[in-house]
Amino acid sequence: MQPATPENGAYPQKVVLIGMMGAGKTTVGRVTAARAGRPFVDVDAVIEAECGTSIADLFRTHSEAEFRRRELETIRRLLAMPGPHIIAAGGGAFCQEGVRQCLVGQAVTVFLRVEKDELLRRLRKSDAGLRPILGGTGWEGRIAGIVTERYPLYELADLILPVGDESPETTCDRLLDLLAARLPETPC
């Protein structure tokens, strides 16, 4: 049997990247999609485009519950699209029971697992204070609680890829190797 590679198209139809904000879901997703010759879709970007506003504004004006409803609806639509895709889910998406249920059998979920110290380093270099779940200043102190709450749920993913201080291209290579090793018989 031939191993799964981007060239022979043997990866699963939909690969959904999950994990914390700052884990690299969007960046690694784009690189992986380009390398595997697949379309890339970022769930948060779709929601922002459809609503004409930022995720932070949606949280402020409509509530987190309304955002989560839209997130689930968007993921369901993306899973129904024909053909293979690499999809980056928002940081809290996989924490919803409804999202996890709709992904079962529809996609391979991959948890990009970043340790707390590396996550803090990455978020310090980003716009972390603007992210609605972190709530402005003092966000660094809240990360440990969010990691403790979310990681047990993320670990329900089909595959777990530990990610450290490495380039997105290196993470992409490791992700493609993981998919090939763990899913050698999955046709596209």
Side-chain angles (χ1 to χ4, degrees):
M1 169 159 297
Q2 188 178 20
T5 66
E7 293 77 26
N8 69 20
Y11 289 113
Q13 284 286 323
K14 305 282 191 286
V15 175
V16 178
L17 303 178
I18 65 165
M20 286 288 289
M21 63 201 97
K25 299 178 302 287
T26 298
T27 303
V28 170
R30 282 191 182 115
V31 172
T32 303
R35 190 136 338 135
R38 293 180 170 208
F40 170 75
V41 184
D42 182 295
V43 172
D44 286 349
V46 170
I47 294 170
E48 287 179 335
E50 290 176 354
C51 294
T53 189
S54 70
I55 300 300
D57 284 343
L58 279 172
F59 266 68
R60 270 193 301 278
T61 59
H62 292 358
S63 78
E64 182 177 356
E66 173 60 16
F67 169 73
R68 297 297 176 201
R69 185 194 66 74
R70 289 176 190 255
E71 187 175 52
L72 175 58
E73 175 185 299
T74 302
I75 290 170
R76 282 186 176 138
R77 281 187 294 126
L78 294 176
L79 292 174
M81 292 185 311
H85 289 80
I86 305 293
I87 300 169
F94 201 71
C95 298
Q96 295 181 74
E97 178 68 25
V99 169
R100 289 194 308 275
Q101 287 178 0
C102 83
L103 290 169
V104 173
Q106 302 300 310
V108 172
T109 54
V110 182
F111 170 27
L112 299 182
R113 190 179 205 295
V114 179
E115 294 302 322
K116 186 182 72 145
D117 290 341
E118 174 64 15
L119 190 61
L120 284 168
R121 185 191 70 75
R122 290 174 178 210
L123 290 171
R124 282 184 193 113
K125 293 170 41 177
S126 74
D127 60 352
L130 301 176
R131 296 183 186 238
I133 203 73
L134 295 179
T137 60
W139 62 266
E140 292 175 347
R142 290 188 288 281
I143 287 294
I146 295 169
V147 164
T148 299
E149 174 187 314
R150 289 185 176 182
Y151 274 35
L153 295 170
Y154 292 156
E155 289 171 354
L156 298 172
D158 298 312
L159 301 170
I160 298 173
L161 180 64
V163 178
D165 182 15
E166 61 195 29
S167 72
E169 292 76 17
T170 299
T171 303
C172 168
D173 291 341
R174 293 174 54 252
L175 173 58
L176 291 173
D177 288 346
L178 179 66
L179 288 168
R182 299 290 291 275
L183 305 164
E185 298 179 32
T186 306
C188 262

